[in-house]
Every structure is written in C-alpha cells, then in structure tokens.
Amino acid sequence: FKSAASLADYRKRISKRLKKLQKNYVPPKEQTASGTGDGTSSEDVRKRQALLLELRQTYGDKLLFIIKNGAAAVDDVERKLGKEKAEQLKPHVACCKQWARDLGIWNDQDEMELEGKNGAS
C-alpha cells in the first residue's frame, strides 16, 4: 500500500485484492458431533424438533387465528381504509400461512377447507 500515490490508487488496489479474495474464498464447513459437517446428527435433530415445538406452542394459535380471519381482516381494512392498505395487509397474511406451513400446523388440506368456508359465506 505504500506505493499508491492517491486515493484512487488505494481504491484500485483494494478492489483488486477484494476480487481476488472473493474469487478464491471457500467458506469453512462447521463440524458437527458426528463429524459429517451436514448438520444431521441426532443432537441437531433433537434441537431442531425442540425449537419447532417451542415455536408451535408460542405462535401456533396466533398464526391459525390470523390465517382463519385474514380474508375478513383484508376485506374490513379495504372497506375502512382503502384498497392500498388492504394490499399491504395481504402479504402479511400470506407470510403467516407460509410460517404455519413451515411449523407443520397448516397444510394444503386446511387451505382447501378454509377456501370452502370462505366461498360458502
């Protein structure tokens, strides 16, 4: 770095070095207890299941409430505050559905049943 005469020279040298490092960089693999590095040891599986159970217990009922009443909430917001606010709420309801699917408390069959109830109303 001592040979650079200006700020532009420093930037050029730094960007070259950064590109070289990025090109050759290999992220380190985290070793697990089993030594495989793929995160499938029995301890990892137990931790994941415990975390899923905790998340289900903490957020499960709330997520289901949002999903079941989401369409009515969007309609209500559209009526009271306008279409723009309703469009802002829709992705939040969709996100709740996806999170519930990830936690295993909501599936496609539940989705069809909900659509049947909403269509019949």
Side-chain angles (χ1 to χ4, degrees), residues 45-81:
V45 171
R46 278 191 303 245
K47 285 180 182 178
R48 181 174 168 81
Q49 288 175 344
L51 179 61
L52 280 173
L53 180 62
E54 181 182 345
L55 289 171
R56 283 183 195 131
Q57 290 172 343
T58 304
Y59 299 108
D61 293 335
K62 296 171 186 171
L63 286 170
L64 290 175
F65 181 82
I66 292 170
I67 292 169
K68 290 178 181 176
N69 297 298
V74 169
D75 292 340
D76 193 38
V77 167
E78 184 173 355
R79 206 171 8 90
K80 291 181 180 178
L81 302 174

Side-chain angles (χ1 to χ4, degrees), residues 6 12 17 21 30 34 42-44 49 52 54 56 61-62 65 86 91 93 96 103:
S6 68
K12 185 176 179 182
R17 283 191 177 183
L21 285 172
E30 188 175 314
S34 63
S42 60
E43 183 179 331
D44 290 341
Q49 288 175 344
L52 280 173
E54 181 182 345
R56 283 183 195 131
D61 293 335
K62 296 171 186 171
F65 181 82
V93 174
C96 287
L103 292 178

